[in-house]
Amino acid sequence: MVMILATNNLGKLKEIREILGEYKIYSLREMGIDVDVEEDGKTFLENAKKKAIEIYKIAQCNGPVIADDSGLCINCLNGFPGVMTHRFLGENVTDRMRNEYLINEVNKYTDRSAQVICNLIYYDGTNEIIGEGILNGFISKECRGENGFGFDEIFELPNGLTLAELSHDEKNEISARSMAIKDLKKKMNKILK
């Protein structure tokens, strides 16, 4: 079965292809689709579903679509930045600027706990299959690590390492996206076979 992944992110594409190896999965670019779906939902699932449905319509039934949305939710900040993880300070800021802002905000509290949440959806015009992954951790007191991107340098695991201090393979093994893909695969195998 051919599927379209609603992204051009090569890291996401590689990770999803590895776990869903029995399916042929193509990026938007590989399918000749050049569109950026506005993520204006109130939840990760709403954003993922919107992307899946819009890309499915554009692709004109060239195959089912898999779409995701994910982000960082900090408990002492009532789940902030959540769906705004990559946009809460605006467009022209660096990951480091966002991360330092979050550290300064979390430093006002004793609770440093946080989650990375990822929702994935498979959509084929009839079936909607949802996968979810949640990675629990903490916000570090400083930026640490050279591997990764986004908030990886401030998301600290229970073992004391940030995601940015893990190797690429180590991170992919435990990531919220990896959990969501595995969850989705299990549900797809029950429903689609």
Side-chain angles (χ1 to χ4, degrees), residues 18-190:
E18 285 172 1
I19 296 172
L20 299 179
E22 65 266 38
Y23 302 100
K24 291 184 179 177
I25 300 172
Y26 296 95
S27 69
L28 293 177
R29 186 174 295 114
E30 289 170 324
M31 294 300 291
I33 299 170
D34 184 17
V35 66
D36 193 15
V37 178
E38 184 181 1
E39 296 179 7
D40 54 4
K42 290 183 171 45
T43 66
F44 300 119
L45 184 56
E46 281 180 23
N47 284 335
K49 187 174 179 178
K50 181 181 179 187
K51 282 191 274 189
I53 291 170
E54 287 194 25
I55 297 302
Y56 183 79
K57 287 177 185 173
I58 291 166
Q60 299 177 341
C61 302
N62 273 337
V65 175
I66 295 177
D68 81 315
D69 193 32
S70 60
L72 176 65
C73 299
I74 302 172
N75 293 335
C76 67
L77 303 180
N78 297 314
F80 181 84
V83 293
M84 297 297 291
T85 294
H86 300 290
R87 304 181 300 274
F88 70 89
L89 286 180
E91 296 297 320
N92 297 316
V93 295
T94 64
D95 288 343
R96 179 57 61 94
M97 291 163 71
R98 280 189 285 271
N99 290 340
E100 287 176 351
Y101 173 88
L102 291 173
I103 287 171
N104 287 333
E105 289 301 302
V106 172
N107 282 343
K108 300 172 186 173
Y109 302 90
T110 53
D111 180 9
R112 304 187 76 82
S113 62
Q115 295 83 38
V116 180
I117 298 174
C118 179
N119 281 139
L120 267 170
I121 186 165
Y122 164 98
Y123 179 75
D124 63 11
T126 304
N127 295 295
E128 286 180 14
I129 305 171
I130 298 162
E132 183 174 60
I134 299 174
L135 180 63
N136 293 300
F138 307 91
I139 301 303
S140 62
K141 294 184 178 178
E142 61 188 4
C143 297
R144 298 193 328 262
E146 301 299 320
N147 301 323
F149 57 93
F151 51 80
D152 289 353
E153 64 185 4
I154 65 166
F155 191 83
E156 189 174 283
L157 300 165
N159 67 8
L161 296 175
T162 66
L163 289 174
E165 291 176 306
L166 302 178
S167 72
H168 176 75
D169 290 341
E170 288 171 330
K171 180 187 162 191
N172 281 349
E173 193 64 32
I174 63 154
S175 73
R177 182 173 297 108
S178 174
M179 286 185 233
I181 299 166
K182 290 171 186 170
D183 184 41
L184 182 70
K185 179 178 182 176
K186 187 167 49 175
K187 292 172 180 173
M188 283 169 59
N189 287 341
K190 282 183 186 172

